[in-house]
Amino acid sequence: MSAMPPDDNTLRQNRLVFYEDDVEAIDNCLDQFLQRSKANCALLIDVEGHLVTKKGFTQTLNTTTIAALVAGSFASTRALAQNLGEKEFSVIFHQGENENIHISLASDRCLIVIIFDDRTTIGMVRLYAKEVTDELSAILGKVRDKAKTQPNPVEDTQFQKEAEAKLDEFFSED
């Protein structure tokens, strides 16, 4: 039987922290991909549904909602794959009348969401998506390595402790 996906606590402990230079490297990679593939836009989200960065024509899109929905879709597809005896399906494709979405897993932690129309082909997107996935996986590996040597700036801060206390206070049943 294949391994189960990480639980929420494991995901939280392994959450990636992106610094400005990390996002610049990712953005450059996505820009080059968009130029080669002629896709409309590309989003990088973590598997929990948080938008990391976006490039291309995204002004008319609710990228926050897309990120959450894609993560949910990917989680469902992962469960389906495991039900079929696969670890996961690393690529998902949705074809619409006007827009298409290609989703691929990078470094077991992030999803690359590519939105494109008939100005390009699925073949072009798939070809360049494999390249960008490999490039982003290398960048994400460096981000993960950096996290091992640098403290997480958002964990165990006074602000975080105060925010958690306020949330506990707000949601407590008194």
Side-chain angles (χ1 to χ4, degrees), residues 1-7 10 74-75 77-89 105 108:
M1 180 160 216
S2 60
M4 293 299 294
D7 61 19
T10 303
F74 185 80
T77 303
R78 178 180 268 171
L80 177 62
Q82 291 174 347
N83 198 346
L84 296 172
E86 295 286 333
K87 179 182 174 200
E88 61 198 356
F89 296 132
L105 180 65
D108 294 329

Side-chain angles (χ1 to χ4, degrees), residues 16-18 22 138-148:
L16 297 174
V17 175
F18 295 94
D22 302 324
I139 293 169
L140 294 170
K142 291 176 185 175
V143 169
R144 183 173 284 133
D145 291 344
K146 190 187 307 183
K148 292 177 185 175

